[in-house]
Amino acid sequence: MVESMPGVKQRPLMRAVVYVPLILTAIYFLLPLIVMLLTSVKTMDEIRAGNLLSLPATLTFEPWAKAWDKMGGTFTNSFMIVVPAVAISTAVGAFNGFVLTKWRFRGSELLFGMLLVGCFIPFQVILLPMARTLGLLGLAGTTGGLILVHVIYGLAFTTLFFRNFYVAVPDELVKAARIDGAGFFTIFWRIILPLSGPIIVVSVIWQFTQIWNDFLFGVVYSSGETQPITVALNNLVNTSTGVKEYNVDMAAALLAALPTLVVYILAGKHFVAGLTAGAVKG
Amino acid sequence: MSALTIRNVKKSFGNTHILKGINLSIEAGRFLTLVGPSGCGKSTLLNIIAGLESPSSGEILIGDRNVNQLSPKDRDIAMVFQSYALYPNMNVRKNILFGLEIRKVPKAEQAAIVDRIARMLQIENLLDRKPAQLSGGQRQRVAMGRALARDPKLFLFDEPLSNLDAKLRVSMRAEIKQLHQRLKTTIVYVTHDQIEAMTLGDYIAVLNNGEVQQFGTPDAIYNDPANRFVADFIGSPPMNFIPCEVVGSSSQGFGVKMTHEGGDFVLEASGDLKPWLGKHVVLGIRPEQITHVVTSRLDERGVSGHACPVHLCEPTGPDTLVTTSINQTKVLARVRPDTAGTPGQSMDLMFDMNKAVFFDPTTGERLRFQLLKAA
Ligand SMILES: Nc1ncnc2c1ncn2[C@@H]1O[C@H](COP(=O)(O)OP(=O)(O)OP(=O)(O)O)[C@@H](O)[C@H]1O
Ligand SMILES: [Mg+2]
């Protein structure tokens, strides 16, 4: 971007005007992460004595081991919730998008409109009704229940993603396939889904981040053993007994943030590409 | 036997009536072109024939079978789309084979079909490429190959050439015509290009406003148009339409009065215009019927020469189009380049009224007259 701005390359002053704020902003955003990282590998003695930004005098990974000890189980819990919830909400979103664009029926636009409202319903509003529903279904406090909540909540978004992507896929592709003899599911599976790579990436990243980072649903609908990592982190940090172990807290927080960070670093580029993907040409 | 019959087909979306009762029928092995301006309902009609949309009322018969209730795959048709609609995730071979695979055609037979089609369309070297790696013309060929693979009873083409550049369009047009001559399958071909319609079709149906304006051979459509719309739509440059008054002519016949800056003259009509004597009609005369003067032809019946002011000259190569103005209407003449006059001056133009037609000035319907016997 910067390079395409005329004049920026040639004039050092212009360059400084652009880069100095950029670098300052980057530092501003990175600073908490750096402090966390540094703190998580320091001993408690050093933390009490020292400066937030100083490098550790003695490098220790004991806080990380301790954090894993306390949170490892919930780390797995979170995966048990996130993986199926992301997979199901993405799959159903793709299916919805296909039906809403390529297999329209009377009222399909209205249905889509109502589904969109789902994107704007605040979490708090559904807490009680959902608790009751889960209770009736016998899913209260189970991993299955949490998956269900996340799938339902995510559907509005995943449907929106896929619908907007499929609107740009030419209808003639579906017509050609129908004349070739393909039915509803064959068209979805063999023609539409293979085109959906970019938007699947978007949906997966979005849902993964949302569900992994969720705290409210986790704290309300999970019980002790099904607790996701965000809830466990909160419990760890908020304990009032004993000495506050800042280094363990920081390691635990980083642990909780790691998967979303990894997903973003690995696939972030595709996220932007997927959102701006142009029409598929036949 | 008729290969396709369309009986009183209507289609409405809510209150908008797209097709208002279409009747068409063609014999097996014939090439029918549907031509009309954008938005007149050509694609809708084709989709109804294919079964991709259902008519609000009316019947579609393929062969002798009413197919109204059949789904597209059971109608024994194949279709080529304007956007080609090749499956982007499959290579050319898979694109061609997709329909056969769905229909569970044995593998050996599939291979033989791909070989035959690839050879016929000269796409052997493209079989392993994805559609994105093909040029427009190559995609067009693959799309035709996909349609040919199943050897259907009826081919439907929806503006297959409109995304190609002018030169490629002309050569693909010839290829399609040759292909049809070789395969002798029934084809319905939609286009908004009147030259494509004329060159390809055994029959042409001119559509406008959801109605068939005229259905006939290219010759009939060109020389004997049913109304002003057809006359205007077919032919390039289009027919001249000159509003004029019917008068008695010198030779006891009838004529129409022409007026321009330099004075006026009468063009003698070959028909019995008596019912319209003293009234206004619209004369329809094609540019190629207004030419430079060929002296030897001047004594033919209905042929006469008149000096007309030249407003504009447009050389096209073989001919030059000369614009003049008669009865306050722009009139195009097609003359041999070396005879073209100079703008601002006048030149002699020869009018051949033998193929001239007349239209009702209000309805645009064709006025038909008995031919007058030679005097
Ligand atoms: N689903 C629909 N709902 C409402 N109107 C429609 C629908 N499909 C088509 N139409 C209208 O029907 C008319 C005919 O459309 P159609 O696609 O058949 O035109 P066409 O003759 O093929 O034009 P073109 O040459 O531009 O392809 C258009 O005015 C279009 O707006
Ligand atoms: Mg069309």
Side-chain angles (χ1 to χ4, degrees):
Chain A
M1 274 313 193
V2 172
E3 279 183 349
S4 66
M5 284 160 67
V8 170
K9 242 191 204 160
Q10 294 84 347
R11 302 218 296 274
L13 183 68
M14 278 299 289
R15 207 193 270 198
V17 167
V18 172
Y19 278 104
V20 169
L22 279 180
I23 291 168
L24 287 178
T25 323
I27 292 175
Y28 180 78
F29 279 104
L30 278 174
L31 213 54
L33 183 67
I34 294 167
V35 171
M36 284 174 79
L37 254 177
L38 291 176
T39 310
S40 74
V41 288
K42 286 179 187 168
T43 59
M44 274 312 286
D45 289 341
E46 200 182 339
I47 292 170
R48 272 188 221 105
N51 175 343
L52 270 182
L53 280 172
S54 66
L55 291 175
T58 44
L59 199 63
T60 167
F61 290 105
E62 209 165 310
W64 281 85
K66 227 170 179 178
W68 180 255
D69 239 18
K70 293 189 174 173
M71 307 244 304
T74 59
F75 194 84
T76 324
N77 278 353
S78 270
F79 266 106
M80 300 286 284
I81 296 163
V82 169
V83 172
V86 169
I88 295 171
S89 60
T90 299
V92 179
F95 190 78
N96 284 352
F98 173 58
V99 173
L100 287 172
T101 53
K102 299 291 174 251
W103 225 273
R104 290 198 191 148
F105 49 92
R106 193 178 285 270
S108 58
E109 285 297 303
L110 183 70
L111 189 78
F112 177 60
M114 292 184 342
L115 213 63
L116 272 191
V117 175
C119 297
F120 302 105
I121 296 178
F123 279 22
Q124 306 84 292
V125 173
I126 66 159
L127 282 183
L128 287 176
M130 190 45 111
R132 180 133 177 77
T133 311
L134 289 179
L136 286 175
L137 293 174
L139 289 173
T142 65
T143 304
L146 255 182
I147 293 172
L148 182 70
V149 176
H150 283 302
V151 166
I152 292 175
Y153 218 90
L155 267 186
F157 291 95
T158 56
T159 302
L160 175 68
F161 292 147
F162 281 95
R163 192 209 85 114
N164 287 357
F165 185 77
Y166 290 155
V167 157
V169 173
D171 290 346
E172 291 190 343
L173 225 48
V174 174
K175 290 185 183 175
R178 282 175 65 195
I179 289 177
D180 265 344
F184 181 86
F185 288 103
T186 313
I187 294 176
F188 181 55
W189 191 250
R190 305 250 339 241
I191 311 283
I192 299 295
L193 220 43
L195 302 177
S196 312
I199 204 67
I200 290 176
V201 172
V202 169
S203 175
V204 165
I205 293 180
W206 175 267
Q207 283 297 88
F208 187 95
T209 318
Q210 292 292 313
I211 301 174
W212 184 274
N213 288 340
D214 163 71
F215 174 71
L216 189 59
F217 287 156
V219 85
V220 177
Y221 299 129
S222 68
S223 59
E225 333 62 281
T226 60
Q227 224 169 47
I229 195 164
T230 45
V231 177
L233 178 65
N234 179 59
N235 294 348
L236 178 78
V237 176
N238 281 342
T239 43
S240 40
T241 54
V243 198
K244 263 225 169 304
E245 294 179 293
Y246 291 109
N247 49 4
V248 179
D249 288 358
M250 294 303 169
L254 283 173
L255 210 55
L258 212 54
T260 46
L261 215 59
V262 168
V263 165
Y264 183 75
I265 290 167
L266 289 183
K269 229 193 292 176
H270 302 287
F271 185 77
V272 178
L275 275 182
T276 56
V280 178
K281 285 203 176 144
Chain B
M1 191 191 79
S2 126
L4 171 70
T5 308
I6 299 166
R7 240 181 241 155
N8 205 19
V9 163
K10 296 183 182 167
K11 177 74 178 177
S12 312
F13 292 106
N15 270 336
T16 35
H17 305 293
I18 307 298
L19 299 176
K20 304 169 185 164
I22 304 286
N23 285 292
L24 290 172
S25 165
I26 49 163
E27 302 103 78
R30 292 307 171 92
F31 199 125
L32 167 68
T33 53
L34 297 177
V35 65
S38 190
C40 72
K42 306 178 297 287
S43 299
T44 307
L45 182 58
L46 207 65
N47 284 339
I48 288 175
I49 297 173
L52 295 166
E53 281 180 50
S54 51
S56 306
S57 69
E59 282 181 299
I60 304 286
L61 281 77
I62 294 177
D64 291 329
R65 192 166 56 141
N66 181 320
V67 296
N68 276 36
Q69 303 305 324
L70 291 185
S71 65
K73 68 177 193 311
D74 298 321
R75 293 192 178 196
D76 204 5
I77 52 165
M79 191 157 170
V80 177
F81 296 90
Q82 179 173 358
S83 67
Y84 318 130
L86 299 178
Y87 310 126
N89 54 313
M90 302 181 197
N91 65 22
V92 169
R93 184 192 310 276
K94 295 225 170 87
N95 261 283
I96 294 175
L97 287 180
F98 186 67
L100 301 175
E101 202 184 304
I102 300 259
R103 278 156 218 266
K104 307 212 161 45
V105 174
K107 281 265 184 281
E109 202 175 316
Q110 288 186 15
I113 290 173
V114 169
D115 277 356
R116 179 171 57 81
I117 302 269
R119 217 170 324 112
M120 179 159 68
L121 296 171
Q122 291 158 9
I123 50 173
E124 291 116 313
N125 53 340
L126 307 177
L127 286 177
D128 295 315
R129 290 209 206 160
K130 291 271 179 73
Q133 301 163 310
L134 301 176
S135 72
Q138 290 169 333
R139 281 182 216 189
Q140 186 52 59
R141 257 170 233 233
V142 175
M144 290 207 294
R146 189 171 62 179
L148 289 169
R150 286 206 330 271
D151 195 20
K153 216 182 268 166
L154 184 63
F155 275 116
L156 306 174
F157 286 80
D158 191 355
E159 308 205 24
L161 303 185
S162 58
N163 282 347
L164 303 179
D165 66 62
K167 216 166 187 173
L168 196 53
R169 195 151 55 204
V170 172
S171 71
M172 286 300 287
R173 192 172 78 200
E175 270 185 54
I176 291 178
K177 185 148 189 166
Q178 270 175 351
L179 207 62
H180 175 247
Q181 281 171 0
R182 195 136 51 96
L183 299 173
K184 305 217 162 38
T185 319
T186 318
I187 295 182
V188 180
Y189 185 105
V190 163
T191 175
H192 62 253
D193 180 325
Q194 47 98 16
I195 297 183
E196 254 173 54
M198 289 289 288
T199 50
L200 288 171
D202 294 319
Y203 293 100
I204 299 177
V206 182
L207 260 63
N208 191 32
N209 288 328
E211 287 172 332
V212 177
Q213 301 292 324
Q214 188 171 359
F215 176 43
T217 61
D219 181 62
I221 299 272
Y222 191 76
N223 291 313
D224 192 13
N227 55 39
R228 186 168 163 170
F229 176 82
V230 174
D232 190 26
F233 194 78
I234 302 288
S236 170
M239 185 181 263
N240 295 301
F241 298 100
I242 312 172
C244 53
E245 187 191 341
V246 177
V247 293
S249 86
S250 50
S251 57
Q252 293 172 323
F254 298 92
V256 282
K257 195 168 158 196
M258 304 280 122
T259 308
H260 58 62
E261 298 133 59
D264 46 41
F265 58 93
V266 169
L267 289 175
E268 197 180 338
S270 52
D272 181 2
L273 266 54
K274 189 157 190 184
W276 286 81
L277 188 61
K279 297 185 190 152
H280 280 86
V281 296
V282 172
L283 165 68
I285 184 165
R286 294 206 180 270
E288 64 263 29
Q289 286 145 18
I290 309 176
T291 58
H292 52 278
V293 172
V294 182
T295 326
S296 60
R297 287 195 59 203
L298 281 177
D299 44 356
E300 280 175 35
R301 185 149 184 259
V303 177
S304 55
H306 306 279
C308 296
V310 176
H311 289 180
L312 186 69
C313 288
E314 297 166 278
T316 65
D319 305 303
T320 294
L321 299 174
V322 171
T323 308
T324 179
S325 172
I326 298 175
N327 293 358
Q328 274 131 40
T329 312
K330 186 181 136 185
V331 174
L332 270 183
R334 192 168 215 158
V335 308
R336 211 175 62 215
D338 60 302
T339 63
T342 323
Q345 297 177 359
S346 76
M347 77 172 280
D348 282 340
L349 291 174
M350 184 174 82
F351 292 75
D352 178 353
M353 291 290 283
N354 289 302
K355 285 187 168 174
V357 289
F358 296 93
F359 301 99
D360 186 307
T362 47
T363 65
E365 283 307 305
R366 175 83 178 274
L367 301 176
R368 299 199 180 262
F369 305 103
Q370 299 237 285
L371 275 186
L372 283 177
K373 284 188 210 77

